[in-house]
């Protein structure tokens, strides 16, 4: 449901229940959760499991079982002392009734989803309590004086995240302790401070030695109608590149056992810590600082465009931070963005085996995080681009005709169309649509042709499968030159064909022998940026850079009753893919294709009728070799790979075609129909023209 007009987020009363995690308990902290898309984490199982977060504070008490035994006592330590009647004694307690600040912080991070209190942002994370306070029983005062010891302890224990909802006032010693912790890869998520300053309270202690080890958090107002920094909150200021914003008021469990609000940048910081725990629970290969980089990079820009002096990188966003950022596909040698990846598989091939193989692929994003998912929807059978073919076909429906020229050894045949461009007689533009020329001298003939598809298929307006094998594999190769030699009662010929469609180009060399209505041909076909006339795709899923095919074919033409011409044809080809080094397609077996057809043409109903039956080009056998990420090796911090030979064998299809043409001196009519028997599809083109 979209937010009502005037609201940044939808009010709770207008928001329907969206999932099993969207409980009454979850909605007790509704505003903060909605601002930061926290429900996404719960719905997708990101709950901080397996992560221990250090809470550097005045201690933590497990109230009402909200931390349900998840205080890691082995990694916790009380650094403080108690002074009573003037005597200072070492204390050994992780929390008590004085731990009001740390208990609220810990529950914002890790409060259990148990039906009471409120749900933490990482409700299955563990908490290591680093209690740094001293208590003076005589004066009933608390001082926080042991943070330096706690930082060094945290470094020795290898903590990745410390939540520090405190301020040192920019003390140099604090900055040095943070630098020592930062050398382990750890990150301190620190409250910006509550003194309305232009920069975080600890800004003076930040330098090149510790800058990457700190992430400051600015407090955002919980008012759901706008984005506004709290008046008390310090801003990002000079450390805007190391700052984000989070809601500064959260409903949580307090030290007295009640459920209430806890406000300040001290409340905003553990929100971000919970997000860091969620990230590290799924991707333990990351350091704390790398988790911080994810949070910075995925924050929602809510202030001035870009990183700004108020909100820094912007409002933390659980959904954006837990989704892949610029993911890449890898074949074990190269990595390529998934954003441009698509695989084009020609109609002659099957996509099923490839889609099955790519239904569970592991990718890495720019932070080295592994994501598993299906790429099956990126494997498609594209329409073969025939824009120019269709335009010519439509042109042929209009006024036009056919012309033959003969002069000595020269012969020419041209198809043309005429288009009126003005009201007066003679304002007509005539355009050639297809043609061929030849010159014969003795036993040798030279020939050339263009738009051969039109010449071959004019009887059914281009809807039938190509009878010519070269055009069946490479329909863009419609222009040719050739030489024939008449010997032994037959004709030996060499033909070179070429052409392009968009970025795709193809060429073919054919040696042929013809005699008594029988043609035998051997062809070598080379395609770039297409396979069997179809686009190969883009990026890491590209089926190939093109293909090379060797094909043999036979044609036989006979006359029936002296009027009907019947042509039968068939071919077998072996294709090899040209492998793109960035693609998951890392090789192929020989790909066997076949085709067969029968066409008949003769006079009927005062015109010329043609019909045919054909199995269009179909792949009988062959496979594409796929190499792709199948998992992640945490110890090696790298993808593991699988290699699969995915069959390209397609299903046989049968197509019926029919065409009819009738014309006179003042009008002409043409129609073509194609029916695919395996699919409920019929294609038809018709045209009528008249002269007045």
């Amino acid at each position: 449901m979209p937010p009502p007009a005037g609201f940044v987020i939808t009010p709770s009363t207008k928001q329907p229940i969206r999932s099993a995690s969207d409980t009454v308990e979850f909605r007790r902290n509704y505003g903060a959760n909605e601002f930061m898309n926290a429900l996404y984490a719960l719905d997708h199982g990101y709950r901080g499991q397996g992560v221990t977060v250090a809470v550097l504070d005045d201690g933590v008490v497990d109230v009402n079982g909200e931390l349900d035994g998840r205080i890691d006592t082995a990694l916790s330590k009380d650094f403080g002392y108690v002074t009573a009647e003037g005597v200072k004694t070492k204390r050994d307690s992780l929390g008590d009734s004085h731990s009001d600040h740390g208990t609220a912080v810990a529950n914002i991070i890790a409060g259990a989803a148990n039906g009471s209190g409120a749900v933490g942002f990482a409700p299955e994370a563990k908490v290591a309590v680093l209690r740094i306070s001293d208590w003076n029983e005589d004066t009933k005062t608390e001082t926080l004086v042991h943070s330096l010891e706690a930082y060094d302890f945290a470094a020795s224990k290898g903590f990745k995240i410390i939540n520090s909802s405190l301020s040192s006032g920019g003390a140099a010693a604090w900055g040095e302790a943070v630098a020592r912790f930062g050398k382990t890869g750890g990150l301190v998520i620190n409250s910006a401070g509550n003194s309305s300053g232009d920069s975080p309270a600890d800004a003076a202690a930040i330098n090149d030695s510790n800058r990457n080890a700190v992430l400051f958090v600015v407090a955002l107002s919980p008012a759901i109608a706008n984005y506004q920094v709290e008046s008390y909150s310090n801003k990002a200021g000079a450390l805007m590149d190391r700052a984000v914003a989070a809601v500064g008021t959260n409903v949580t469990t307090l030290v007295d056992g009640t459920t209430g609000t806890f406000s300040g940048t001290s409340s905003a910081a553990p929100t971000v810590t919970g997000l860091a725990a969620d990230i590290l629970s799924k991707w333990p290969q990351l350091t704390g600082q790398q988790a911080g980089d994810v949070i910075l990079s995925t924050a929602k820009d809510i202030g001035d465009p870009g990183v700004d002096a108020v909100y820094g990188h912007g409002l933390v966003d659980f959904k954006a931070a837990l989704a892949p950022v610029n993911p890449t596909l890898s074949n074990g040698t190269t990595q390529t963005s998934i954003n441009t990846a698509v695989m084009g598989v020609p109609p002659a091939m099957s996509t099923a085996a490839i889609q099955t193989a790519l239904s569970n692929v592991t990718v890495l994003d720019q932070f080295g995080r592994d994501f598993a998912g299906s790429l099956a929807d990126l494997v498609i059978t594209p329409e073969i681009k025939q824009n120019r073919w269709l335009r010519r076909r439509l042109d042929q429906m209009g006024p036009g005709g056919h012309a033959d020229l003969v002069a000595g050894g020269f012969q020419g045949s041209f198809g043309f169309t005429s288009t009126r461009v003005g009201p007066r007689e003679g304002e007509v533009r005539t355009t050639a649509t297809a043609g061929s020329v030849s010159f014969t001298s003795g036993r040798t003939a030279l020939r050339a042709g263009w738009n051969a598809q039109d010449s071959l298929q004019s009887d059914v307006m281009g809807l039938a499968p190509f009878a010519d094998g070269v055009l069946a594999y490479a329909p863009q190769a419609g222009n040719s030159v050739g030489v024939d030699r008449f010997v032994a009662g037959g004709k030996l010929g060499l033909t070179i064909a070429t052409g392009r469609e968009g970025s795709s180009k193809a060429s073919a060399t054919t040696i042929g022998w013809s005699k008594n209505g029988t043609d035998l041909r051997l062809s070598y076909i080379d395609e770039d940026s297409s396979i069997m006339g179809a686009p190969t795709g883009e990026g890491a899923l590209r089926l190939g850079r093109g293909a090379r095919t060797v094909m043999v074919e036979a044609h036989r033409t006979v006359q029936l009753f002296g009027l009907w011409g019947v042509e039968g044809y068939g071919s077998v080809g072996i294709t090899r893919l040209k492998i793109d080094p960035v693609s998951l397609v890392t090789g192929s077996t020989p790909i066997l294709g076949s085709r067969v057809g029968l066409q008949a043409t003769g006079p009927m109903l005062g015109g010329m009728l043609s019909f045919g039956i054909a199995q269009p080009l179909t792949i009988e056998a062959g496979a594409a070799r796929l190499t792709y990420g199948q998992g992640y090796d945490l110890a090696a911090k790298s993808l593991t790979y699988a290699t699969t030979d995915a069959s390209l064998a397609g299903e046989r299809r049968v197509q019926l075609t029919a065409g009819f043409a009738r014309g006179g001196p003042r009008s002409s009519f043409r129609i073509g129909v194609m029916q695919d028997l395996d699919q409920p599809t019929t294609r038809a083109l018709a045209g009528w023209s008249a002269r007045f």
Side-chain angles (χ1 to χ4, degrees):
M1 176 183 293
F7 281 92
V8 173
I9 61 174
T10 304
S12 178
T13 56
K14 298 182 180 297
Q15 182 71 269
I17 302 299
R18 294 154 292 180
S19 69
S21 298
D22 191 7
T23 62
V24 172
E25 180 189 15
F26 174 82
R27 291 204 175 198
R28 290 190 182 116
N29 197 32
Y30 179 82
N33 288 331
E34 290 300 292
F35 263 120
M36 296 175 286
N37 287 318
L39 184 60
Y40 179 89
L42 297 178
D43 284 345
H44 291 80
Y46 299 100
R47 296 169 176 255
Q49 54 270 44
V51 177
T52 300
V53 174
V55 176
L56 191 151
D57 217 299
D58 62 1
V60 176
V61 179
D62 183 5
V63 182
N64 301 335
E66 282 297 300
L67 298 173
D68 55 19
R70 286 178 291 112
I71 295 178
D72 192 329
T73 56
L75 291 175
S76 298
K77 186 172 181 178
D78 182 3
F79 298 92
Y81 292 81
V82 175
T83 299
E85 297 181 355
V87 178
K88 188 175 183 180
T89 304
K90 184 70 178 71
R91 184 184 59 207
D92 186 18
S93 172
L94 298 180
D96 52 34
S97 61
H98 306 305
S99 304
D100 54 344
H101 194 271
T103 297
V105 166
N107 280 298
I108 291 172
I109 297 170
N114 58 5
S116 65
V119 181
F121 290 97
E124 295 182 19
K126 290 186 177 181
V127 172
V129 181
L130 305 184
R131 191 177 188 186
I132 64 169
S133 62
D134 283 350
W135 177 257
N136 190 313
E137 185 64 28
D138 299 333
T139 62
K140 307 297 182 183
T141 56
E142 183 179 63
T143 54
L144 305 172
V145 293
H146 299 287
S147 62
L148 305 185
E149 301 167 62
Y151 279 113
D152 289 338
F153 175 82
S156 71
K157 296 298 183 181
F159 288 113
K160 293 185 177 183
I161 299 292
I162 293 177
N163 186 94
S164 175
S165 290
L166 306 169
S167 172
S168 74
W174 176 85
E176 293 167 0
V178 170
R180 292 192 294 271
F181 176 67
K183 288 181 179 180
T184 69
L187 178 70
V188 179
I189 297 177
N190 209 87
S191 55
N194 300 329
S195 57
S196 304
D198 290 333
S199 290
D202 290 310
I206 303 303
N207 52 48
D208 290 343
S209 70
N210 58 23
R211 192 178 195 92
N212 292 334
V214 183
L215 181 58
F216 288 103
V217 185
V218 173
L220 192 73
S221 168
I224 66 173
N226 54 49
Y227 298 120
Q228 183 175 343
V229 67
E230 290 280 25
S231 60
Y232 59 75
S233 177
N234 288 43
K235 300 176 182 63
L239 290 171
M240 66 179 75
D241 64 312
R242 298 299 305 171
V244 292
V247 175
T249 296
N250 285 279
V251 176
T252 190
T253 300
L254 306 178
V255 73
D256 62 3
T258 62
T259 299
T261 58
F262 179 67
S263 299
T265 57
S266 291
S267 182
T271 297
V272 182
T273 298
L275 175 55
D278 290 340
I279 293 170
L280 293 171
S281 70
K282 174 61 174 68
W283 298 287
Q285 65 264 36
L286 301 185
T287 66
Q289 291 176 27
Q290 289 171 328
D293 292 340
V294 173
I295 294 169
L296 289 167
S297 297
T298 57
K300 181 179 181 179
D301 190 2
I302 59 173
D304 292 338
V307 179
D308 66 77
V310 177
Y311 303 102
H313 284 257
L315 176 62
V316 293
D317 188 328
F318 279 67
K319 182 177 181 179
L322 295 169
V325 179
N326 298 325
T328 58
L329 288 168
S330 175
N331 59 16
T333 302
T334 61
Q335 291 188 346
T336 307
S337 174
I338 198 174
N339 295 328
T340 59
V342 65
M343 182 182 293
V345 179
M349 298 178 179
S350 171
T351 62
I354 294 178
Q355 289 175 324
T356 297
L358 297 181
S359 62
N360 185 20
V361 176
T362 301
V363 304
L364 297 180
D365 77 349
Q366 74 178 52
F367 298 104
R369 298 184 297 172
D370 56 297
F371 292 83
S374 175
L375 304 180
D377 288 346
L378 299 180
V379 181
I380 63 173
T381 300
E383 289 286 337
I384 296 177
K385 289 185 177 180
Q386 293 181 330
N387 296 332
R388 288 182 295 175
W389 168 88
L390 180 59
R391 185 172 62 249
R392 293 194 304 269
R393 192 95 292 118
L394 294 173
D395 287 342
Q396 290 176 353
M397 294 179 189
H402 191 81
D404 295 311
L405 300 175
V406 179
F410 175 85
Q411 291 185 355
S413 178
F414 305 91
F416 64 89
T417 182
S418 299
T419 305
R420 179 166 294 280
V421 295
R424 292 187 295 271
E425 184 176 357
E427 291 185 318
V428 176
R429 182 177 60 203
T430 300
T431 305
T433 58
S436 63
V437 296
S438 66
F439 177 77
T440 303
S441 177
R443 292 189 170 190
T444 302
L446 303 176
R447 51 190 163 75
W450 68 94
N451 292 344
Q453 303 99 316
D454 297 342
S455 297
L456 290 173
Q457 295 294 292
S458 60
D459 55 343
V460 286
M461 304 182 75
L463 296 177
F466 290 123
D468 185 289
V470 167
L471 294 176
Y473 276 90
Q476 64 270 57
N479 306 316
S480 65
V481 295
V483 58
D484 297 323
R485 180 72 175 174
F486 297 93
V487 295
K491 182 174 65 176
L492 181 65
L494 173 67
T495 303
I496 297 175
T498 187
R500 65 187 310 141
E501 179 70 45
S503 62
S504 167
K505 62 180 180 179
S507 62
T509 301
T510 301
I511 298 174
W513 169 253
S514 301
K515 186 176 182 179
N516 299 329
T518 299
D519 295 337
L520 300 176
R521 303 173 192 172
L522 173 65
S523 299
Y524 174 75
I525 305 165
D526 192 332
E527 286 185 271
D528 287 326
S529 297
S530 65
I531 298 173
M532 300 176 184
T536 62
E538 297 289 342
L541 288 180
R542 195 178 187 190
L543 186 58
R545 296 181 295 106
R548 297 182 178 93
T549 299
V550 176
M551 177 192 64
V552 292
E553 61 178 318
H555 292 244
R556 176 67 176 169
T557 302
V558 298
Q559 293 292 320
L560 296 180
F561 314 115
L563 297 174
W564 283 79
V566 179
E567 178 188 17
Y569 63 87
S571 70
V572 175
I574 298 292
T575 300
R576 282 282 194 176
L577 303 182
K578 297 178 183 178
I579 301 304
D580 190 326
V582 306
S583 176
L584 302 191
V585 181
T586 54
S588 74
T589 65
I591 300 168
L592 175 65
S594 70
R595 46 189 291 280
V596 64
L598 186 69
Q599 297 185 27
T601 303
M604 185 171 287
L605 302 176
M608 294 297 293
L609 176 69
S610 63
F611 58 88
I613 181 171
Q615 174 211 301
L617 179 59
T618 302
I619 299 307
E620 306 287 350
R625 182 161 295 128
L626 304 173
T627 303
Y628 52 92
Q630 194 180 47
Y632 188 83
D633 186 329
L634 189 57
K637 294 186 177 181
S638 65
L639 290 175
T640 58
Y641 293 90
T643 298
T644 300
D645 283 348
S647 173
L648 298 173
E651 295 184 1
R652 294 185 183 276
R653 294 182 296 155
V654 177
Q655 293 179 340
L656 301 179
T657 58
F660 180 75
R662 181 175 178 176
R666 302 194 64 84
S667 67
S668 64
F669 172 75
R670 303 176 69 196
I671 185 171
V673 180
M674 187 276 286
Q675 172 69 55
D676 193 322
L677 296 185
D678 299 314
Q679 301 176 9
T681 58
T682 301
R683 296 174 63 187
L685 284 173
W688 176 77
S689 63
R691 294 181 180 180
F692 299 96

